[in-house]
Amino acid sequence: MDNYQRRKTIAVEVGNVGIGGDNPVRVQSMATTDTNDIEASVNQAIRIIEAGAELVRFTAQGVREAESLRLIREELRKRGYMTPLIADIHFNSAAAEVAAQYVEKVRINPGNFVKSIKKDFSDYTDEEFEQERLLLRERFVNFLNICKKHDTAIRIGVNHGSLSERMMRRYGDTPLGMVESCLELLRICREEHFDKIVVSLKASNTTLMVKAVRLLVERMDAEDFHYPLHLGVTEAGDGEDGRIKSAIGIGSLLVDGIGDTIRVSLSEQPENEIPVAYSILQATRSRITKTEYIACPSCGRTLFDLETTLRKVKAATQHFVGLKIAVMGCIVNGPGEMVDADYGYVGAGRGRISLYKGKDLILKNIPEEEAVEKLLDLIHKKS
């Protein structure tokens, strides 16, 4: 039951970064600057990259903002940063066509390419629904041709709050409407032999977002679409609330094996999103990038100051990658509850610690002041 089984997808190359396939789940963030301010945009992108992001996204509201992405990319490359850039286009298909010439990936909303033919508020007839689909197809294919020419990937990103009028009237503001909006463009991509695609369905409602993505996966599998999935909870907020919402929404799907790149959306500086994203990946065992600590909550049986001891053990061992270390207050919670750990640091009596390697007791009743050093010796012998 420990084995993480990730959904199989094709690999999509976004510049020098692969998404999906056998690539690790990628972490990205989104800049908050106006792209016309080149210096501010470059500096923020560098902070995001140095925090650990593997892709950086900029919003480009119009053609001028999309043109500025070329200068941002050039300046980043001059400074030695090769991280792929993504343009986020929400309403303007002309901006998407410009951005596709300059960045490695463009995120579009299906509504970008819809030109409404309705002049009233009546429901769409089947004929009207198809007529708009054909108009959408024509504009979307023009965009795909530009992407083909420049080897640009795309993300079809459907947001719960921005379905087209046509989809809203037929399906309502529902997960099904989000899924149908996405599938419509995927079918066009297949007809046009274009497969550099990542897809996402996002909402600020974590339950709705999870249901929508699970439905999309089911429908994609039925139509033999195996594109990578981007996960995120929109407008998650800040602080503890934003982190919890993101962990629940993104984490629920990751433990199902769904997800190939993630973005934690916080109302904070974008570089703050990166450690949260890596922690979610670590907690779901989707991508291991640091030491994991298993620690009891403390109780009357605890034989040392748990908070102080845990901090001390972390400070000495956090440079290891991929280890699980248990810090347990007593032998009641020790050997049994830390069964998943590689190493255990367990209270054995007042001022005394026992050290375990897996389930095996290696050192018993050693003085607490020597225990961290002995733990390091034990880990180094293994390595």
Side-chain angles (χ1 to χ4, degrees):
M1 291 179 67
D2 294 340
N3 294 331
Y4 171 73
Q5 297 294 323
R6 187 164 152 205
R7 176 177 174 265
K8 296 293 184 186
T9 69
I10 65 169
V12 172
E13 297 303 315
V14 181
N16 59 4
V17 171
I19 299 176
D22 294 327
N23 293 293
V25 180
R26 300 297 188 180
V27 171
Q28 58 179 278
S29 185
M30 184 170 177
T32 59
T33 56
D34 180 344
T35 57
N36 294 318
D37 188 337
I38 307 302
E39 186 66 18
S41 297
V42 168
N43 289 338
Q44 189 175 73
I46 290 172
R47 291 197 300 273
I48 294 170
I49 293 165
E50 291 186 345
E54 295 162 296
L55 304 107
V56 177
R57 183 158 42 116
F58 287 94
T59 187
Q61 299 180 54
V63 170
R64 183 180 171 218
E65 288 77 12
E67 291 279 3
S68 294
L69 291 170
R70 175 178 61 84
L71 299 176
I72 293 169
R73 185 174 182 274
E74 287 175 357
E75 184 59 28
L76 283 167
R77 301 298 178 260
K78 271 190 217 172
R79 298 192 195 184
Y81 293 92
M82 308 307 292
T83 303
L85 301 186
I86 304 165
D88 189 278
I89 312 294
H90 202 68
F91 294 114
N92 192 330
S93 61
E97 292 173 359
V98 170
Q101 302 172 55
Y102 303 132
V103 298
E104 287 82 2
K105 182 173 160 209
V106 178
R107 178 266 174 171
I108 55 141
N109 186 313
N112 296 160
F113 298 90
V114 174
K115 186 176 180 181
S116 178
I117 63 170
K118 292 289 286 183
K119 304 299 182 187
D120 56 39
F121 292 99
S122 62
D123 289 339
Y124 277 74
T125 64
D126 289 346
E127 183 180 357
E128 289 170 333
F129 196 85
E130 176 61 12
Q131 187 178 348
E132 275 201 16
R133 188 193 73 82
L134 292 174
L135 290 172
L136 176 152
R137 189 186 192 287
E138 181 180 355
R139 298 175 78 183
F140 185 54
V141 168
N142 287 338
F143 169 68
L144 290 183
N145 286 337
I146 294 171
C147 292
K148 288 178 183 178
K149 180 179 178 181
H150 294 275
D151 198 29
T152 306
I154 70 170
R155 171 161 66 94
I156 299 172
V158 183
N159 281 4
H160 177 234
S162 56
L163 292 178
S164 69
E165 188 69 22
R166 171 170 160 270
M167 287 292 174
M168 284 282 288
R169 293 199 203 180
R170 175 146 296 194
Y171 298 105
D173 192 9
T174 64
L176 179 59
M178 297 170 71
V179 169
E180 289 295 338
S181 186
C182 181
L183 288 174
E184 187 169 68
L185 292 196
L186 288 180
R187 294 176 190 127
I188 296 172
C189 288
R190 172 177 280 167
E191 292 165 5
E192 295 299 312
H193 307 289
F194 184 90
D195 61 4
K196 292 196 69 166
I197 306 163
V198 178
V199 296
S200 71
L201 303 185
K202 292 189 178 184
S204 57
N205 179 324
T206 54
T207 303
L208 186 146
M209 170 264 197
V210 169
K211 287 181 178 178
V213 174
R214 285 176 176 158
L215 177 60
L216 174 65
V217 168
E218 181 182 320
R219 294 288 300 278
M220 284 174 64
D221 287 349
E223 296 195 35
D224 202 28
F225 292 131
H226 303 288
Y227 301 113
L229 282 154
H230 169 121
L231 304 181
V233 178
T234 61
E235 296 91 33
D238 68 349
E240 184 179 81
D241 289 346
R243 286 159 173 78
I244 290 173
K245 285 181 72 173
S246 297
I248 290 171
I250 297 170
S252 296
L253 293 163
L254 287 173
V255 296
D256 286 346
I258 297 169
D260 302 280
T261 178
I262 69 173
R263 188 259 170 129
V264 173
S265 300
L266 298 178
S267 304
E268 301 176 18
Q269 290 300 308
E271 55 266 35
N272 292 352
E273 299 173 352
I274 308 305
V276 183
Y278 279 109
S279 292
I280 292 171
L281 293 176
Q282 181 94 13
T284 56
R285 307 289 171 91
S286 308
R287 182 175 178 182
I288 305 300
T289 56
K290 57 187 178 181
T291 298
E292 181 175 341
Y293 297 93
I294 301 163
C296 63
S298 187
C299 69
R301 292 189 300 266
T302 301
L303 299 172
F304 49 73
D305 184 324
L306 190 66
E307 288 187 57
T308 301
T309 302
L310 181 57
R311 282 197 298 269
K312 189 166 57 174
V313 172
K314 278 187 171 183
T317 60
Q318 62 187 354
H319 59 287
F320 295 109
V321 175
L323 288 184
K324 294 189 283 270
I325 298 175
V327 179
M328 312 301 277
C330 69
I331 58 171
V332 174
N333 283 332
E337 299 297 332
M338 67 181 197
V339 66
D340 194 35
D342 298 302
Y343 298 94
Y345 180 109
V346 180
R350 294 294 172 191
R352 294 285 165 173
I353 303 296
S354 292
L355 297 179
Y356 289 75
K357 181 177 174 297
K359 297 179 183 179
D360 298 326
L361 176 59
I362 305 299
L363 295 170
K364 185 177 181 180
N365 294 331
I366 60 177
E368 186 175 350
E369 58 270 20
E370 299 175 12
V372 172
E373 185 178 347
K374 296 288 188 185
L375 174 63
L376 288 172
D377 289 343
L378 189 60
I379 294 170
H380 285 132
K381 281 178 185 174
K382 171 63 177 175
S383 59

